[in-house]
Amino acid sequence: MLSEIVPKSDAAKKKGLEKGEKYYYLFFIGTQKERNGQGLASALIRRYQAIAAREGHAIWLESTTSHSMGLYTHLGFEIVEEMILGKGKAAADGTAKKNGEGLHFWAMVWRPAVPVQ
């Protein structure tokens, strides 16, 4: 299943980013379960959005849960493409499952409201 990520992500980047467009890549963000709902992830992402906006860069990420996809959408990210890993081999939670629906994830991009020239 891991071997599927890079080609799918690369194809989504070709679709969602302009050739030569500069961007930050948000690789991983998480919150401890007992700290969920306190706005910590949103505050961190907004901080990096401010940095990216000053530099005129986009932010790229792949969301691995529908919950985080909703958070990113709320913060102004747009879905470029929904992708599925391990279709026929994995369940929605990523565990092995013959004929499983696969693990859904979303390629997303955020751009500053007014590009810096």
Side-chain angles (χ1 to χ4, degrees), residues 88-102:
K89 301 180 266 185
D93 64 1
T95 58
K97 180 181 179 185
K98 188 176 180 180
N99 300 320
E101 63 273 29

Side-chain angles (χ1 to χ4, degrees), residues 26-41:
L26 179 59
F27 178 71
F28 185 84
I29 188 170
T31 307
Q32 291 178 326
K33 195 170 197 163
E34 62 272 9
R35 301 296 300 266
N36 280 353
Q38 296 178 14
L40 300 173

Side-chain angles (χ1 to χ4, degrees), residues 7 9 11 30 35 42 68 71-72 77-78 82 86 96 100 105 113:
S9 180
R35 301 296 300 266
S42 294
S68 62
L71 169 68
Y72 300 137
F77 285 80
E78 296 178 5
E82 181 177 1
F105 72 113

Side-chain angles (χ1 to χ4, degrees), residues 2-97:
L2 290 175
S3 64
E4 298 176 45
I5 293 173
V6 172
K8 289 184 181 209
S9 180
D10 286 349
K13 283 178 189 168
K14 285 182 182 176
K15 178 179 175 183
L17 295 169
E18 300 293 325
K19 186 173 181 143
E21 181 176 12
K22 293 183 179 183
Y23 64 94
Y24 285 101
Y25 179 55
L26 179 59
F27 178 71
F28 185 84
I29 188 170
T31 307
Q32 291 178 326
K33 195 170 197 163
E34 62 272 9
R35 301 296 300 266
N36 280 353
Q38 296 178 14
L40 300 173
S42 294
L44 184 60
I45 293 167
R46 284 187 181 112
R47 178 183 172 130
Y48 284 97
Q49 285 175 315
I51 294 167
R54 277 195 305 271
E55 297 176 9
H57 292 17
I59 301 176
W60 181 269
L61 60 81
E62 290 96 19
S63 175
T64 57
T65 68
S66 58
H67 175 77
S68 62
M69 184 267 296
L71 169 68
Y72 300 137
T73 301
H74 176 74
L75 292 170
F77 285 80
E78 296 178 5
I79 296 171
V80 173
E81 189 165 338
E82 181 177 1
M83 298 169 275
I84 302 173
L85 297 177
K87 188 170 185 168
K89 301 180 266 185
D93 64 1
T95 58
K97 180 181 179 185

